[in-house]
Amino acid sequence: MARYLVRRLAFLAVSLALASVVLFVLLRMLPGDPANALTSVGAGPEQIAAARRAIGSDRPLPEQFTHWIGQLASGDLGTSFVSSLPVGPEVAARLDVTVPLTLAAFVLAVLVAVPAGFTAAYKRHTWYGALLSGVSQLGIAIPVFWLGMILIAVFALNAGWLPSGGFPQDGWAEPAEAIRSLVLPVVTIALVMSASLIRYVRSATLDVLGSDYLRTARALGSSFGGAMRRHGLRNASVPVISVLGIELASTLLGAVVVESVYALPGLGSMLATGIAQHDYPVIQGVLFVSTLAVLVIGFVADLAQRIIDPRLRGRLSGGSR
């Protein structure tokens, strides 16, 4: 197990390094000059050249990349071209919105999807089993921004129960207001995510219900609940854990849409602003932190699968010899 952890951590470090190179190169290939965002409309070539020198974008790309990697190695995400403020503290402040939003939506989606997916599989020949499957298919087809606007119209503008957007100026210093601001965004993400998860839970449960080991356990006298607890849940959870990791990562990366709809000051809105202003340090900082989070989520999901499934541990032992 120790060798496996070392290999996975090494793979994570190499993946992060490669992602940094790809991120840096692709960002410089995009059209637009960050110096234009720092100068006034109608600025002359001398003013634009001076702006490039000030932010270092006139240096050769290898030198810029080496400078950025050196900053990352020291824990510095750089300084914004536009605001001249350090990117690291701003990213940390935005995480106060994005992380609670993502985790709350993820937990709510799992609480909805797991029992619904199991019911859709176990009661697949009933009308409500078919209804759950149909609702999940419909949920997958609904765009998240459209659902967000519908929820705003119904629960914020018409009913007036919840704010239509924004976040308290003092952040979590006002916990009740902060939670109220996140209710609709959390529900928006959770509904879309749970629709997708229900399909995977249903599929994994159907595989278990049709398995030989479950029939054998029932033939040997185990009740359905006992056979599921001893054999079914563990086997069904292995593929679902992989999907949960992917869904959590995609939700973190896709928060930009929901944060824009609800005007939340999270990582997504910071990234959108950085792209609009060609603020390379901001874009690089947000995407680097997001990439790191996605890789860590994948690592944890992979580790959880090996802990739960003894067959994977057997392969691991064989590969470690």
Side-chain angles (χ1 to χ4, degrees):
M1 191 67 175
R3 293 181 62 181
Y4 164 75
L5 289 176
V6 171
R7 285 203 306 270
R8 287 292 285 122
L9 288 173
F11 176 76
L12 191 151
V14 172
S15 299
L16 188 62
L18 291 175
S20 302
V21 174
V22 172
L23 166 64
F24 181 88
V25 172
L26 290 181
L27 191 57
R28 264 62 183 182
M29 292 173 64
L30 294 177
D33 188 344
N36 290 332
L38 304 176
T39 54
S40 58
V41 177
E46 295 81 8
Q47 292 172 296
I48 294 177
R52 288 177 183 149
R53 283 194 299 274
I55 60 178
S57 64
D58 61 334
R59 300 175 190 168
L61 288 182
E63 184 180 342
Q64 294 182 45
F65 180 73
T66 305
H67 178 67
W68 180 51
I69 292 297
Q71 287 180 319
L72 287 179
S74 61
D76 183 4
L77 293 179
T79 302
S80 168
F81 287 165
V82 177
S83 66
S84 300
L85 295 174
V87 174
E90 182 67 15
V91 168
R94 300 298 186 110
L95 286 174
D96 284 347
V97 177
T98 300
V99 171
L101 169 67
T102 304
L103 292 182
F106 177 73
V107 171
L108 180 59
V110 171
L111 291 177
V112 171
V114 171
F118 179 81
T119 304
Y122 185 56
K123 299 292 185 182
R124 58 190 178 280
H125 299 305
T126 64
W127 66 268
Y128 52 91
L131 178 63
L132 284 172
S133 298
V135 169
S136 68
Q137 293 287 346
L138 179 63
I140 294 171
I142 295 178
V144 66
F145 68 91
W146 182 84
L147 179 61
M149 289 189 288
I150 293 297
L151 292 179
I152 288 174
V154 173
F155 296 102
L157 301 182
N158 289 339
W161 295 341
L162 294 164
S164 60
F167 199 71
Q169 294 265 339
D170 298 331
W172 289 97
E174 303 174 38
E177 287 302 312
I179 291 173
R180 288 186 77 242
S181 301
L182 292 182
V183 169
L184 286 181
V186 165
V187 171
T188 303
I189 297 175
L191 287 177
V192 175
M193 187 191 296
S194 61
S196 177
L197 286 177
I198 286 174
R199 288 182 59 213
Y200 289 108
V201 174
R202 181 181 183 274
S203 177
T205 305
L206 285 175
D207 289 341
V208 170
L209 293 177
S211 63
D212 292 336
Y213 58 81
L214 192 70
R215 281 195 291 268
T216 302
R218 295 294 307 277
L220 292 176
S222 293
S223 64
F224 175 76
M228 283 297 293
R229 282 194 298 274
R230 280 193 294 274
H231 308 288
L233 293 180
R234 173 173 290 187
N235 287 283
S237 64
V238 173
V240 173
I241 286 175
S242 177
V243 173
L244 290 177
I246 295 172
E247 288 291 334
L248 180 58
S250 62
T251 301
L252 181 65
L253 294 176
V256 59
V257 177
V258 174
E259 289 178 3
S260 298
V261 170
Y262 289 98
L264 293 175
L267 274 187
S269 58
M270 184 180 179
L271 177 63
T273 303
I275 292 173
Q277 298 175 332
H278 295 91
D279 199 341
Y280 290 165
V282 169
I283 302 172
Q284 291 171 170
V286 173
L287 292 181
F288 179 81
V289 171
S290 301
T291 303
L292 177 61
V294 170
L295 291 174
V296 170
I297 290 170
F299 170 72
V300 173
D302 195 24
L303 188 62
Q305 284 182 306
R306 278 159 173 76
I307 291 174
I308 292 174
D309 192 343
R311 293 170 298 179
L312 295 177
R313 292 204 296 271
R315 292 176 196 169
L316 175 62
S317 300
S320 301
R321 290 172 188 162

